[in-house]
Amino acid sequence: CAFSTAAQQRSTGDECGPEEPSEEPKHPLSDCALEHKAIKLEEQVRDLTERYRRALADSENVRRRTQKFVEDAKLFGIQSFCRDLVEVADILEKTAESAAGHAEEPSDPNPTLQKIYEGLSLIEAKLQSVFAKHGLQKMNPVGGRYDPYEHEIICHVPAEGVQPGTVALVTQDGYKLHGRTIRHALVGVAVEAQE
């Protein structure tokens, strides 16, 4: 019975000797030292809390930027493909205009040429509808103000009936993909005639 009591006292951390209450700790710290240590710990907690908040804010900003980057990649990933297709659309448009010019000549009413023109017109309309479906739009700058982000000046024309700085003619159509210019329109801008 005495053996089991000693084992119980050891497992609970009590000493086997006579029980005398210990009023003083082995390393007594003064109240001033404890307050100083508490203030230091509070400052560390505030510092770590501030660092944690900044880290959370930084990670949220990185997440937003990454999400924006992914969305832009989805929208504008076809940009180079669209640039190439726009050149094909230009060729198709010029061919249709050429066929229209020959098909409407009264000296040679060729029904085959008329059918080719109609077919090219249908293809061109379908291509423009596919462009619109994917967010690719042809710009129509004639009559609008010159914008260096959308237009490239290739010539100046006398301002007859139009305000100077206005786009007077377009030699090559410009295109936008979801509002971003992927090909500048080649334009002639009206300027005041010098006397």
Side-chain angles (χ1 to χ4, degrees), residues 12 24 37 40 53 116 123 131 146 187-188:
T12 60
E24 305 236 354
K37 192 171 186 176
K40 269 188 163 182
R53 287 181 182 152
I116 290 173
I123 292 170
F131 284 175
Y146 166 72
V187 299

Side-chain angles (χ1 to χ4, degrees), residues 67-82:
Q67 185 177 5
K68 175 75 172 133
F69 180 75
V70 168
E71 289 171 3
D72 284 351
K74 286 179 184 176
L75 283 177
F76 301 111
I78 60 170
Q79 186 169 332
S80 63
F81 180 68
C82 287

Side-chain angles (χ1 to χ4, degrees), residues 28-98:
L29 295 174
S30 68
D31 289 339
C32 184
L34 287 174
E35 286 178 19
H36 182 66
K37 192 171 186 176
I39 290 171
K40 269 188 163 182
L41 289 174
E42 286 175 1
E43 287 175 2
Q44 286 179 347
V45 166
R46 278 194 295 267
D47 183 48
L48 290 174
T49 303
E50 184 62 28
R51 286 184 185 180
Y52 174 72
R53 287 181 182 152
R54 286 182 186 165
L56 278 180
D58 287 345
S59 67
E60 182 65 22
N61 288 340
V62 167
R63 186 191 66 76
R64 279 191 214 132
R65 274 187 259 134
T66 304
Q67 185 177 5
K68 175 75 172 133
F69 180 75
V70 168
E71 289 171 3
D72 284 351
K74 286 179 184 176
L75 283 177
F76 301 111
I78 60 170
Q79 186 169 332
S80 63
F81 180 68
C82 287
R83 280 191 196 118
D84 295 339
L85 266 182
V86 163
E87 292 176 17
V88 173
D90 288 342
I91 294 169
L92 183 63
E93 184 179 345
K94 286 184 174 112
T95 306
E97 287 173 4
S98 177

